[in-house]
Amino acid sequence: MAGIKALAKQTAIYGLSSIIGRFLNWCLVPLYVYVFPTEEYGIVSYLYSFTAVALVILNYGMETGFFRFANKDDADPDKVYTTSLISVASTSILFIILLSLLITPVSNALLLPHHPGYVWMLGFVVAIDAFTNIPFAWLRYKNKAVRFASIKLINVFLNIGLNLFFILACPSLQHSSPALINWFYAPLGGAAFGIGWIFVANVISTLCVLLLLSPEFIGRKWSFSAPLLRSMLSYSWPLLILGVAGILSQNMGQIMIPYLFQGQEEAARSMVGIYGANIKVAIIMVMFTQAFRYAYEPFIFSRARSAGEDKKTAYVDSMTYFILFGLFIFLGVMFFLPILKYFISPSYRVGLQVVPVMMIAELCFGVFFNLSLWYKLTDRTRWGMYLSLICFALMFALNYYLVPAIGIPDGYMGSAWAALISYFIVMVVSYFLGRKYYPIPYDLRTIFKYSCLAVFIYACGSIIGGEKLWLTLTVRSLLLILYLAAIVRKALKKD
């Protein structure tokens, strides 16, 4: 259990920043949905879906490639790091230049011809984020989890503070003390700039992160190796396809809905807004998966260098506890949904039906990521590309069919079901391929037993209801504690 304890410790530290950060950003959702109508918040969700795709493209698998090559026996980690940094910096700068020159056609292609400023600001942010991913990877490689978490949290707090300042404080100051803010507020349109202030806040906080990370790339010995870069790109380019297909799959609904309902733009953006806001309710599962991912990639590559079967035991334990705690998170969110629903305004709550579907979908995606070690450790990254392309094809086809079939106003449910079906299929396919190329004796018996227990507890909690909310939540809390106690008992027994 030593390996899994080390992984748990790192996951806890990374998870602290990820969970707190995402939770605090999550707290911005009520601000957005109570201030902006569904169609305006739909633009925010829609654009951030595209920036997620652009970030993967601009990173082109170099983050995972860095971990792979820095952990090789004959590696020079500093050379791997600076080579990665120079490569990603060059492409990020090129991206900003091209976006600036082609901003009008890009905005038209995104169906936002009247908002090129929004598009440019988020393009700038994603280019800087792609570059800073490499210094963040270096911190993870050096096990500087506290510094990593601190910078992430500073970014979150700054972004939240700027959002509150621009969206709430500035309109008030414009009436009481306009001279204080008009030098920057009026030129952009003041309160009429609306959701644009969300993007301005993002630009400022991203630049501050770049400044905080400057010690990781300023004042160090720079070394660039073209042969090393070619080897890294050869390893990473399938991960680029994997990543693009994967992130497109994750954001498929929000991206496709406006294109599937052209001529009904306002209704389509409203659906995207409702879908995007309710996905935020299920964000805890995403937070858990993200925290696990930050710790897991360095963990699997470092464990791969050790001999014996102990490393496979650690892989088995990590999968088991990932699923068990993922089910615990699912139960917690579903049991407390009567309270969590108040984070979004009443006009958005019609979309709460997507929450259980998306949480199970994200759990399947997390298992799929966990299974990815077989092709990363055997350098068969092309298989990751194939699996992601299969997922993308499934997601595209299912969205294309299900969303219009359900239609306005609930078409987003087609996107939720498309995500669950697609992730489940690629998860199963990856499992069987892994048994062939890098067999790991996963504890399927324990996973099945605790999954059944979770289903039973969920069923018991679901039939409990009534006018006395406090009684319902009390009983559900006891059921949740029962499931957690079962997990802890298993962990202690394992020791």
Side-chain angles (χ1 to χ4, degrees):
M1 287 285 286
I4 197 65
K5 285 181 179 178
L7 175 62
K9 180 181 177 181
Q10 291 294 311
T11 301
I13 298 174
Y14 290 123
L16 181 65
S17 65
S18 179
I19 291 171
I20 293 176
R22 293 241 183 180
F23 175 75
L24 292 173
N25 273 325
W26 184 41
C27 291
L28 284 174
V29 175
L31 171 65
Y32 297 156
V33 300
Y34 278 96
V35 171
F36 303 116
T38 55
E39 59 272 16
E40 284 195 44
Y41 182 66
I43 295 175
V44 177
S45 285
Y46 174 67
L47 273 177
Y48 275 114
S49 297
F50 276 104
T51 58
V53 176
L55 180 59
V56 173
I57 294 173
L58 288 174
N59 218 184
Y60 45 92
M62 291 297 284
E63 187 179 1
T64 302
F66 163 74
F67 285 119
R68 178 58 173 161
F69 282 80
N71 280 287
K72 288 193 171 185
D73 293 332
D74 58 346
D76 178 353
D78 288 285
K79 181 181 287 188
V80 176
Y81 171 58
T82 54
T83 297
S84 305
L85 206 58
I86 292 170
S87 177
V88 177
S90 301
T91 50
S92 293
I93 293 171
L94 179 62
F95 175 79
I96 293 173
I97 293 171
L98 289 176
L99 180 64
S100 301
L101 295 173
L102 302 172
I103 189 62
T104 299
V106 170
S107 300
N108 291 337
L110 293 176
L111 305 180
L112 293 171
H114 304 298
H115 302 291
Y118 299 169
V119 175
W120 189 90
M121 282 190 286
L122 283 185
F124 178 81
V125 166
V126 79
I128 301 300
D129 282 346
F131 173 73
T132 57
N133 271 348
I134 304 301
F136 274 126
W138 176 255
L139 293 177
R140 290 159 60 195
Y141 172 76
K142 288 293 187 178
N143 291 321
K144 295 182 178 180
V146 174
R147 176 161 163 75
F148 176 99
S150 299
I151 295 175
K152 289 285 187 180
L153 287 176
I154 289 171
N155 177 39
V156 170
F157 280 115
L158 181 59
N159 188 50
I160 290 172
L162 289 169
N163 270 273
L164 294 174
F165 175 68
F166 290 137
I167 296 174
L168 295 183
C170 283
S172 177
L173 289 170
Q174 194 172 36
H175 287 94
S176 61
S177 306
L180 291 175
I181 61 169
N182 273 349
W183 61 275
F184 71 87
Y185 195 60
L188 288 176
F193 195 48
I195 58 173
W197 291 112
I198 298 174
F199 308 133
V200 172
N202 204 337
V203 169
I204 296 172
S205 59
T206 299
L207 287 173
C208 288
V209 168
L210 182 65
L211 182 63
L212 289 170
L213 285 170
S214 60
E216 309 305 326
F217 51 85
I218 292 177
R220 67 182 303 120
K221 182 180 178 181
W222 287 79
S223 177
F224 178 79
S225 171
L228 173 61
L229 179 60
R230 284 194 293 270
S231 298
M232 293 180 72
L233 291 175
S234 178
Y235 173 85
S236 298
W237 77 262
L239 296 178
L240 168 62
I241 307 300
L242 180 158
V244 171
I247 204 69
L248 276 172
S249 298
Q250 285 181 288
N251 294 278
M252 186 70 73
Q254 289 149 290
I255 290 173
M256 284 189 67
I257 287 173
Y259 290 94
L260 292 172
F261 295 97
Q262 291 193 52
Q264 299 172 289
E265 286 82 4
E266 188 171 324
R269 289 174 184 167
S270 179
M271 282 198 293
V272 172
I274 292 170
Y275 184 51
N278 282 279
I279 287 176
K280 299 296 185 187
V281 178
I283 201 77
I284 296 176
M285 190 68 77
V286 181
M287 285 189 263
F288 173 61
T289 302
Q290 183 70 23
F292 183 84
R293 174 182 172 272
Y294 281 144
Y296 194 56
E297 277 194 336
F299 171 77
I300 63 170
F301 287 123
S302 62
R303 296 290 293 183
R305 300 168 68 178
S306 62
E309 290 298 310
D310 284 347
K311 61 184 180 184
K312 288 196 174 183
T313 301
Y315 298 153
V316 169
D317 289 339
S318 66
M319 172 67 85
T320 302
Y321 287 104
F322 175 83
I323 294 175
L324 268 52
F325 279 102
L327 290 170
F328 171 75
I329 291 169
F330 171 81
L331 291 172
V333 171
M334 295 312 302
F335 281 176
F336 288 93
L337 197 58
I339 293 176
L340 296 175
K341 70 179 182 181
Y342 290 105
F343 275 88
I344 56 177
S345 70
S347 60
Y348 288 77
R349 289 176 201 159
V350 66
L352 284 170
Q353 56 188 321
V354 308
V355 175
V357 180
M358 287 305 300
M359 289 203 70
I360 295 297
E362 289 295 341
L363 181 59
C364 289
F365 180 77
V367 174
F368 172 56
F369 174 81
N370 205 318
L371 291 167
S372 69
L373 66 89
W374 71 262
Y375 60 76
K376 290 180 179 177
L377 292 180
T378 60
D379 290 345
R380 291 184 172 91
T381 50
R382 284 180 176 81
W383 275 107
M385 175 184 69
Y386 300 149
L387 289 168
S388 286
L389 288 174
I390 291 171
C391 184
F392 171 79
L394 286 168
M395 195 80 76
F396 182 86
L398 289 169
N399 269 275
Y400 188 80
Y401 173 74
L402 293 175
V403 172
I406 296 174
I408 297 172
D410 298 323
Y412 48 79
M413 279 305 300
S415 294
W417 283 110
L420 176 55
I421 295 168
S422 302
Y423 291 154
F424 179 79
I425 289 174
V426 294
M427 175 187 74
V428 172
V429 172
S430 182
Y431 169 74
F432 283 106
L433 286 171
R435 289 183 63 181
K436 176 181 178 182
Y437 291 109
Y438 195 84
I440 294 175
Y442 291 116
D443 192 355
L444 299 182
R445 181 180 177 183
T446 297
I447 291 171
F448 178 75
K449 181 172 70 174
Y450 280 83
S451 297
C452 290
L453 176 61
V455 170
F456 175 73
I457 289 177
Y458 178 60
C460 292
S462 297
I463 62 176
I464 298 169
E467 296 181 1
K468 296 182 178 179
L469 181 60
W470 68 268
L471 180 60
T472 299
L473 295 179
T474 299
V475 176
R476 289 180 175 181
S477 297
L478 292 173
L479 289 170
L480 200 58
I481 292 170
L482 176 65
Y483 182 75
L484 181 60
I487 298 176
V488 173
R489 180 175 177 273
K490 172 179 171 46
L492 293 175
K493 188 176 180 182
K494 183 80 174 177
D495 274 342

